[in-house]
Amino acid sequence: MTLQSLGEFLGSLWTVWALIVFAGIAFWAWRPRNKKRFEKDAQIPLKDDDR
């Protein structure tokens, strides 16, 4: 195995790893269980702070 072929293999592995991480984050974000939390967090900038 040459250094060039090793680099190509690692580049392909990195692409697969990035896709798996992206799919995991997307799955976590779209779970119905997280909907209330995200709606609550979305209101934070709109809250008035009377200090």
Side-chain angles (χ1 to χ4, degrees), residues 1-3 5 7-9 15-16 20 22-23 25 27 31 33 38-39 44 51:
M1 183 177 268
T2 65
L3 190 57
S5 64
E8 291 172 1
F9 173 73
T15 302
V16 171
I20 290 170
F22 175 77
I25 292 170
F27 173 75
R31 289 177 63 188
R33 190 171 104 184
F38 290 142
E39 287 176 350
I44 290 173
R51 288 189 226 172

Side-chain angles (χ1 to χ4, degrees), residues 5-51:
S5 64
L6 180 62
E8 291 172 1
F9 173 73
L10 291 176
S12 299
L13 193 63
W14 178 254
T15 302
V16 171
W17 172 248
L19 286 172
I20 290 170
V21 169
F22 175 77
I25 292 170
F27 173 75
W28 172 77
W30 286 96
R31 289 177 63 188
R33 190 171 104 184
N34 292 330
K35 184 176 182 178
K36 287 183 182 181
R37 175 183 171 214
F38 290 142
E39 287 176 350
K40 179 183 160 195
D41 291 347
Q43 296 301 318
I44 290 173
L46 304 175
K47 289 184 179 178
D48 288 333
D49 197 10
D50 294 334
R51 288 189 226 172

